[in-house]
């Protein structure tokens, strides 16, 4: 049973994933404009991933006989005080996305929509991975402290993470 309530929640999640893609695109652009080419590449890739999260949801809603709708998006932040600030904002945003996915999962249990619950398992696992990834990037900032060259190394590492085969899955 694909209820209107679930359909509305999934459409709102489509909006959130599209917004996430936009947020990371704006961050990637800030990184590129500020000389952090590695972080820019990593975030452009991440922006593409969020778009994939959106289209996967869109396909599911339509396959279930619903109608996936695109909604208005907010203007993303275009300015950041530092590279660390960018990654702090990302983790905060991903925690919000995780809470949203968990709320929809909760709704599927209440509505006895086990198919959608099963579909959402992929997103639940993805959020665990993403939060852990961004926490590990923030740990690198803590380790680097005020060390000279610390940011350069973090940027280089982000570049290699963007180029890793697993990052392109
Ligand atoms: Fe970052 O996982 Fe979708 O939003």
């Amino acid at each position: 049973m694909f209820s209107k309530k679930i359909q509305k929640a999934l459409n709102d999640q489509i909006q959130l994933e599209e917004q996430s893609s936009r947020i990371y695109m704006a961050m990637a652009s800030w990184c590129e404009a500020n000389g952090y080419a590695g972080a820019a590449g990593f975030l452009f890739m991440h922006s593409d991933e969020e778009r994939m999260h959106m289209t996967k949801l869109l396909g599911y809603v339509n396959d279930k006989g619903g109608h996936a709708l695109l909604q208005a998006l907010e203007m993303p932040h275009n300015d950041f005080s530092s590279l660390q600030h960018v990654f702090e904002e990302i983790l905060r945003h991903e925690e919000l996305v995780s809470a949203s996915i968990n709320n929809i999962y909760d709704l599927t249990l209440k509505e006895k929509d086990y198919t959608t619950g099963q579909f959402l398992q992929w997103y639940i696992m993805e959020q665990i991975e993403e939060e852990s990834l961004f926490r590990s990037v923030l740990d690198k900032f803590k380790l680097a402290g005020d060390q000279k060259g610390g940011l350069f190394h973090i940027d280089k590492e982000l570049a290699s993470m963007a180029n890793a085969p697993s990052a392109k899955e």
Side-chain angles (χ1 to χ4, degrees), residues 28-120:
S29 176
W30 181 89
C31 289
E32 195 168 62
N34 284 277
Y36 299 117
F42 176 84
L43 290 171
F44 279 125
M45 179 203 74
H46 207 73
S47 172
D48 286 348
E49 267 186 39
E50 297 299 351
R51 193 167 185 284
M52 180 275 280
H53 295 174
M54 173 188 88
T55 52
K56 195 176 165 90
L57 275 159
L58 185 145
Y60 178 80
V61 171
N62 288 337
D63 282 351
K64 288 280 286 178
H67 183 185
L69 304 169
L70 297 195
Q71 304 183 57
L73 299 180
E74 285 171 24
M75 165 99 114
H77 289 163
N78 284 302
D79 260 313
F80 304 90
S81 56
S82 65
L83 188 60
Q84 181 169 348
H85 179 211
V86 168
F87 282 89
E88 284 165 354
E89 289 270 303
I90 296 176
L91 180 59
R92 200 189 49 78
H93 183 75
E94 286 300 330
E95 285 169 348
L96 184 142
V97 172
S98 298
S100 174
I101 296 280
N102 290 342
N103 283 340
I104 307 174
Y105 184 72
D106 198 40
L107 186 64
T108 63
L109 296 179
K110 286 187 184 120
E111 300 268 313
K112 297 193 180 351
D113 182 347
Y114 303 119
T115 316
T116 302
Q118 184 65 31
F119 169 78
L120 287 176

Side-chain angles (χ1 to χ4, degrees), residues 144-153:
D146 293 332
Q147 262 176 46
K148 223 177 149 204
L151 279 181
F152 175 76
H153 284 294

